[in-house]
Amino acid sequence: MLFYEFKRIFKGYLRRKRKCVKIKFGEITKDIVVNAIMEKVPTLAEAREKKSKELSEICKSTIIAKHTVKLTNKDDVFNYSEINQLNISNAFAVAIVAMQRGLKNMVIPLYNADNICETFSCQDILKIYVAMQTVITYNLTLCHQLQEQILSMKKLDDIESIQYNEIYLSGDYKVNFNAILEQANKMAESLLTEKESPAQTKDGDSE
């Protein structure tokens, strides 16, 4: 069992080494053998786990980075940390209620990426919320589909070549990615084109 494990490690080491320099079988030295043992080639499971964690970290850092949102009269910058996601979602809920009640002039306080509290119109709150959800959906979907694709890969080189970019998706994983984003975009467009509902009277009829 030990012999076969060493054989796997040694073959993997030589395969990697040949990418940098040509090594002929007759040139294999004691140092090369020792280096092969020291530089353990990961198993498929180890490579998948490592790459999956790498993708998750990039996904998280991308989401919480600063993002510019085009508003009615200016551009503003927001980041989507967990607390900011909660604050934006709460502001969105207030904006929806206000618009349903015909309170079109209502303004809602919200902190931007520089931790400065400003007031925004209901329509701008919708834009901020949609921008946030677009960033989150894109990155979570990309990360999850890449991770699923990695689980199906059988070669170490293929796994290690994957980068955090949609161009690395293929087959059903690319199809799933596009389908999810298409649906998310439709929902975003629906929110941004939503018209204000007329104010309601006590008996439930429109005024």
Side-chain angles (χ1 to χ4, degrees):
M1 187 70 179
L2 183 60
F3 170 77
Y4 288 110
E5 176 65 8
F6 170 76
K7 184 178 179 182
R8 182 187 68 78
I9 293 173
F10 189 60
K11 286 176 66 179
Y13 176 80
L14 289 182
R15 185 179 70 250
R16 292 162 181 259
K17 209 67 177 173
R18 287 194 183 105
K19 292 180 180 179
C20 303
V21 295
K22 293 288 186 180
I23 299 178
K24 297 179 181 178
F25 187 78
E27 296 174 350
I28 296 176
T29 65
K30 179 181 177 181
D31 287 340
I32 291 178
V33 175
V34 171
N35 288 337
I37 296 172
M38 297 295 290
E39 188 181 310
K40 182 179 182 296
V41 177
T43 64
L44 282 175
E46 290 170 340
R48 287 166 179 158
E49 182 179 5
K50 180 180 177 181
K51 180 59 68 171
S52 182
K53 287 182 179 179
E54 175 189 315
L55 295 171
S56 292
E57 289 173 0
I58 297 174
C59 175
K60 181 178 179 180
S61 64
T62 302
I63 289 174
I64 66 175
K66 292 183 177 182
H67 300 276
T68 300
V69 181
K70 188 173 182 62
L71 303 177
T72 303
N73 297 317
K74 64 173 183 176
D75 292 348
D76 211 334
V77 181
F78 300 87
N79 73 67
Y80 306 133
S81 63
E82 289 186 9
I83 186 65
N84 286 341
Q85 288 183 39
L86 179 60
N87 288 337
I88 292 172
S89 295
N90 288 340
F92 170 75
V94 173
I96 289 295
V97 172
M99 295 179 75
Q100 288 175 341
R101 295 182 178 180
L103 304 175
K104 62 181 181 179
N105 294 323
M106 182 176 180
V107 293
I108 301 169
L110 186 66
Y111 285 89
N112 63 16
D114 296 320
N115 207 33
I116 297 174
C117 186
E118 301 181 62
T119 56
F120 300 90
S121 68
C122 291
Q123 194 61 38
D124 278 347
I125 290 292
L126 295 188
K127 292 178 181 179
I128 295 167
Y129 177 81
V130 167
M132 178 186 75
Q133 290 299 337
T134 299
V135 169
I136 293 173
T137 300
Y138 178 90
N139 283 282
L140 288 181
T141 304
L142 174 59
C143 185
H144 291 165
Q145 291 303 313
L146 285 172
Q147 289 172 330
E148 288 295 320
Q149 181 170 301
I150 286 168
L151 291 177
S152 70
M153 291 179 165
K154 306 298 182 183
K155 295 181 180 179
L156 285 174
D157 289 345
D158 290 342
I159 294 172
E160 293 172 351
S161 70
I162 293 293
Q163 301 296 319
Y164 191 76
N165 193 304
E166 63 180 272
I167 64 174
Y168 289 89
L169 289 170
S170 61
D172 290 341
Y173 307 102
K174 179 66 172 178
V175 172
N176 292 339
F177 175 80
N178 289 335
I180 293 170
L181 288 193
E182 181 181 2
Q183 183 60 34
N185 288 336
K186 288 180 180 178
M187 293 175 64
E189 290 175 6
S190 176
L191 274 175
L192 292 177
T193 56
E194 188 74 23
K195 296 184 181 297
E196 297 175 14
S197 299
Q200 301 291 310
T201 59
K202 292 182 179 179
D203 60 5
D205 295 326
S206 299
E207 290 180 350

